[in-house]
Amino acid sequence: MSGPEEVVGTAREFDVVVIGGGPGGYAAALYGAAAGLSVAVVEKDKVGGTCLHRGCIPAKEFLETASVFRTVAGAKEFGIQASQPTVDFGTSQARKQKVVDQLWKGLSGLMKQRKITTVIGTGSLGAGHLVRVDDGSELVGRHVVLAAGSVPKTIPGFEIDGQLVMSSDEILELERLPASAVVIGGGAVGCEFASMMADLGTQVTVLEVLPSLIPGCDAEVSGAVSRSFKKRGIVVHTGVEVHGHEPNGNGTTVSFGDGEQVSVDAVVVSVGRRPESHGLADPEAGVELDDRGFVRVDDHMRTTADGVYAVGDVVPTAQLAHVGFAEAVVAIKDVLGEPVVPVDYAAVPWCIYTHPEVAFAGLSEAAAREAGYDVVVKKDPFGGNSRAKIVGETEGLVKVIAERAPDGRAGRLLGVHMVGPWVTEQLGQGYLAVNWEATADEAAQFIQPHPTLSEAFGETVLAMTGRGLHVG
């Protein structure tokens, strides 16, 4: 570890130089600086990356706007007399930007407080750990962390113009929502946008090439989301390909499936993200990419170049901010020579902020069976939960999958899957149980407060022991 930055030739030298200031990059910087390393971050825009400025935070702000709208619209059921609400999306946009700016300033201040040097510009790694920035500056890192992030994918025939055809970047900047829209892609992000727009009055059609929404989710969880979407007037077509679109005045007609069409005011393309790896490292740097452009790493986040690490969306792992955080910690611990526990990607927490919300960790029932496990499955619908009835949100369930022990009873918990009210805030105990390899007997011993939504998890694992109170 060194003290303040040094000057080597014309380049400033640091213990760690990070290319990219998104979640993976700034987490590496903060964690390294907290351990006494001298750190520099090269960021082409603003620290915080896609998550803070064009992704997680703005999207969840608008989903919260939708939640407030639903609450006001349903107030009469609680005896609160309120007129039917309307949406001023420009005001929602202003509030979103205020939240984003506050978080950005807080993060910038924290990085300055930890004496992290921030260089604004696009960085590229060359030989000898030399990072060249397009503003002409040069930095050398004893270690380098690549954290350049990702950008939205596009599909042929649907070039992004920011008005008629949008990616997540453009939809999060709108001042007014379209009256009707097609969302291409029924994964987590596509479903979040569909849910938000439908709640705020847009007529939404979702087109997904795979057989179900939110691929990778447990089938019962995905099914609950599909039923809710249908009930709310969201039209969903799964197992269909899109073929193109034909603009017509102020809107466009999208062709899909077997000769089907739908006319809408806008198209939202949500088909995943690709790594921002082009130009990230010169060939002589020794960093290998796979055939999709992701940086190759081992379980310590080490690339094929000695002393060079990669984290976040630029590596072929779950594109989640909290996974980027975890990978950054792994990389910096390796830099420090400390014991490292690699990220267990099969058991990371997933949260999807649709209405109803989705949250899960570990194997789905189908994945557990495919892996060869003999399983015990129990579930508790929120329809019987007292707090869910109180708040008026009874859609969904908690589902727990356990490995069947030699005595035939439920043993180690393999997966916890939730769909329903505020489940993104309830997943913690299920995530810990799966990752600590708790058994049903062990998890069932813990007391759940009543009345809470979270006691649905407790009821489910208690039922797994064969002696459930409310769940058979």
Side-chain angles (χ1 to χ4, degrees):
M1 288 181 275
S2 70
E5 64 186 74
E6 302 168 7
V7 177
V8 179
T10 60
R12 292 177 290 173
E13 183 170 331
F14 299 83
D15 291 321
V16 179
V17 174
V18 183
I19 301 179
Y26 76 68
L30 291 171
Y31 196 78
L37 300 174
S38 62
V39 182
V41 174
V42 180
E43 167 54 44
K44 66 181 180 181
D45 188 8
K46 295 179 178 179
V47 292
T50 293
C51 176
L52 176 54
H53 298 285
R54 299 174 300 281
C56 315
I57 303 304
K60 276 55 175 180
E61 163 66 23
F62 290 141
L63 284 156
E64 190 61 27
T65 297
S67 175
V68 172
F69 184 91
R70 289 195 310 271
T71 298
V72 176
K76 290 185 174 64
E77 183 182 340
F78 292 82
I80 308 299
Q81 299 305 312
S83 58
Q84 182 63 25
T86 57
V87 182
D88 179 352
F89 203 67
T91 299
S92 302
Q93 184 67 252
R95 185 179 192 276
K96 177 269 288 186
Q97 198 57 48
K98 180 180 178 182
V99 170
V100 168
D101 288 344
Q102 288 173 334
L103 291 170
W104 168 60
K105 289 174 183 176
L107 174 60
S108 300
L110 180 58
M111 293 176 70
K112 180 181 270 189
Q113 181 185 340
R114 298 225 183 142
K115 298 182 170 34
I116 295 167
T117 299
T118 302
V119 179
I120 302 301
T122 300
S124 179
L125 176 65
H129 293 185
L130 176 66
V131 175
R132 297 185 179 89
V133 186
D134 60 0
D135 69 352
S137 60
E138 295 183 339
L139 306 91
V140 171
R142 292 184 175 89
H143 302 86
V144 176
V145 178
L146 305 177
S150 63
V151 293
K153 287 181 181 177
T154 57
I155 52 179
F158 289 87
E159 286 68 33
I160 305 299
D161 61 24
Q163 295 180 330
L164 194 61
V165 182
M166 296 175 282
S167 71
S168 55
D169 287 358
E170 289 78 26
I171 193 171
L172 292 171
E173 294 297 329
L174 291 177
E175 291 294 328
R176 180 177 60 85
L177 286 175
S180 60
V182 157
V183 176
I184 302 175
V189 176
C191 283
E192 286 185 348
F193 283 134
S195 184
M196 178 270 289
M197 290 191 295
D199 280 344
L200 296 178
T202 301
Q203 176 58 55
V204 178
T205 300
V206 179
L207 305 178
E208 168 57 47
V209 68
L210 294 176
S212 64
L213 293 179
I214 321 181
C217 264
D218 187 89
E220 290 188 78
V221 169
S222 176
V225 173
S226 295
R227 289 190 296 275
S228 175
F229 276 20
K230 183 177 181 180
K231 186 166 69 174
R232 289 152 59 202
I234 300 173
V235 178
V236 176
H237 296 276
T238 56
V240 297
E241 294 186 7
V242 292
H243 306 304
H245 74 105
E246 187 67 38
N248 49 32
N250 294 325
T252 190
T253 299
V254 178
S255 300
F256 65 95
D258 187 13
E260 297 180 86
Q261 293 183 327
V262 58
S263 294
V264 291
D265 295 317
V267 177
V268 180
V269 178
S270 182
V271 292
R273 303 180 66 86
R274 60 175 176 82
E276 187 82 300
S277 58
H278 180 71
L280 179 59
D282 297 338
E284 58 266 27
V287 174
E288 290 184 7
L289 307 181
D290 68 14
D291 57 1
R292 295 181 296 161
F294 289 103
V295 179
R296 296 185 189 275
V297 290
D298 64 11
D299 63 2
H300 282 46
M301 312 315 298
R302 296 176 293 212
T303 71
T304 50
D306 186 48
V308 180
Y309 300 78
V311 302
D313 284 5
V314 81
V315 301
T317 59
Q319 292 181 320
L320 302 168
H322 47 277
V323 168
F325 294 155
E327 291 171 342
V329 171
V330 166
I332 297 300
K333 281 191 171 184
D334 195 77
V335 166
L336 294 165
E338 296 178 354
V340 171
V341 177
V343 177
D344 181 359
Y345 295 104
V348 300
W350 290 76
C351 292
I352 303 168
Y353 297 80
T354 47
H355 176 63
E357 290 185 351
V358 171
F360 62 94
L363 298 175
S364 66
E365 181 180 354
R369 294 188 189 279
E370 287 171 11
Y373 289 104
D374 183 12
V375 298
V376 177
V377 177
K378 287 291 181 181
K379 48 201 169 186
D380 184 15
F382 278 110
N385 179 276
S386 54
R387 187 70 192 280
K389 288 186 178 296
I390 290 167
V391 300
E393 297 280 355
T394 56
E395 286 184 314
L397 76 158
V398 172
K399 180 176 180 178
V400 180
I401 296 96
E403 181 180 15
R404 191 181 301 276
D407 62 3
R409 301 177 68 248
R412 177 169 61 103
L413 302 188
L414 300 174
V416 175
H417 302 262
M418 302 177 171
V419 54
W422 303 339
V423 294
T424 58
E425 301 294 341
Q426 298 175 56
L427 181 63
Q429 58 181 331
Y431 166 78
L432 288 174
V434 168
N435 280 269
W436 258 330
E437 300 183 344
T439 66
D441 284 339
E442 290 167 341
Q445 291 184 46
F446 291 95
I447 298 172
Q448 302 288 335
H450 175 79
T452 62
L453 296 168
S454 62
E455 65 186 309
F457 171 76
E459 290 278 0
T460 309
V461 292
L462 186 61
M464 282 189 141
T465 70
R467 297 179 182 177
L469 297 182
H470 304 93
V471 179

